[in-house]
Amino acid sequence: KFGPSGMFNYAVAVIDGAGYKAPLRSKSVDVEARLSANVSDFTFGVGGYTGKLGKETQGVSTFHTAERLNAIAAYKKGPLRLGAEYFSAKNWNNVLTAVEDKSDGYSLFGSYAFNDKFGMFGRYDRVKPNKDTKPALKDDYFNVGLTYSPAKIVDFALAYKRDAVDNGVIGTSNGNIGGSSKGTYDEVGLWGQFRW
């Protein structure tokens, strides 16, 4: 922290591998950095990443450097939280291929606590995952729900989720979504979280 009343925060990471799950060391380092500021009830942040994602190893040729820029603005006052995020990436999934590609997207999110036990939340995401190779492909996702916290260490959420893909197919944890024109995936569920 630095600046007046410690309003600014920063972090920098220099990484020479793909993480503990893939113990190979890369020939170059990746750099990730962020800077944030807290001003009254607002938080603003910007961050970036550049590198080979740990894929430039002995005997492996890389074609591109992955780059990403992130920005966030958030507001919190009493029971209300609102925010917006933006990202732009270049060659994030194309480090090992000759083809270049870009992606970008944004998110809007909010929540409101009625009291200590009950609240509501919502989020909307729009992503263009392949702006150069599939410029018409887009993914719209949203969720809305209610929360219930019967105890300090227990949270439950009843939520509805919808993922809609236009002009192509996107692989997700719920399978492939999309088609030649449009495809959707809908889900309703009760999720729980226990904190110790």
Side-chain angles (χ1 to χ4, degrees), residues 2-191:
F2 65 97
S5 302
M7 70 184 292
F8 295 104
N9 291 287
Y10 70 93
V12 177
V14 179
I15 306 157
D16 69 345
Y20 70 93
K21 290 184 179 181
L24 296 173
R25 298 282 181 246
S26 57
K27 294 194 283 187
S28 61
V29 295
D30 291 12
V31 178
E32 184 170 20
R34 72 160 175 83
L35 174 66
S36 63
N38 296 307
V39 181
S40 185
D41 299 324
F42 293 89
T43 299
F44 302 96
V46 64
Y49 188 104
T50 183
K52 305 286 186 170
L53 303 176
K55 296 179 179 178
E56 187 179 43
T57 58
Q58 188 66 34
V60 176
S61 297
T62 58
F63 291 89
H64 305 293
T65 298
E67 299 172 355
R68 186 185 71 226
L69 172 71
N70 303 78
I72 187 169
Y75 173 79
K76 178 184 174 187
K77 181 136 182 135
L80 178 66
R81 294 177 186 210
L82 298 171
E85 295 177 274
Y86 170 79
F87 87 93
S88 176
K90 182 177 179 183
N91 295 317
W92 197 258
N93 295 314
N94 298 75
V95 171
L96 298 176
T97 66
V99 176
E100 290 195 10
D101 208 354
K102 295 177 188 163
S103 60
D104 67 7
Y106 64 88
S107 299
L108 305 172
F109 57 89
S111 66
Y112 186 83
F114 300 113
N115 53 43
D116 290 345
K117 294 189 183 286
F118 294 96
M120 65 180 187
F121 64 89
R123 181 179 181 103
Y124 171 75
D125 299 339
R126 171 167 266 197
V127 176
K128 293 192 65 102
N130 303 101
K131 290 180 69 173
D132 292 343
T133 59
K134 299 175 188 172
L137 179 65
K138 66 180 178 179
D139 185 4
D140 290 292
Y141 167 86
F142 77 87
N143 67 47
V144 292
L146 299 171
T147 61
Y148 173 57
S149 300
K152 189 174 182 178
I153 64 166
V154 179
D155 294 315
F156 293 104
L158 176 63
Y160 168 67
K161 301 177 181 182
R162 181 177 182 87
D163 202 349
V165 176
D166 289 330
N167 304 311
V169 177
I170 294 178
T172 73
S173 60
N174 295 312
N176 290 334
I177 300 172
S180 58
S181 61
K182 185 171 189 164
T184 60
Y185 178 84
D186 297 280
E187 183 176 13
V188 175
L190 179 65
W191 286 264

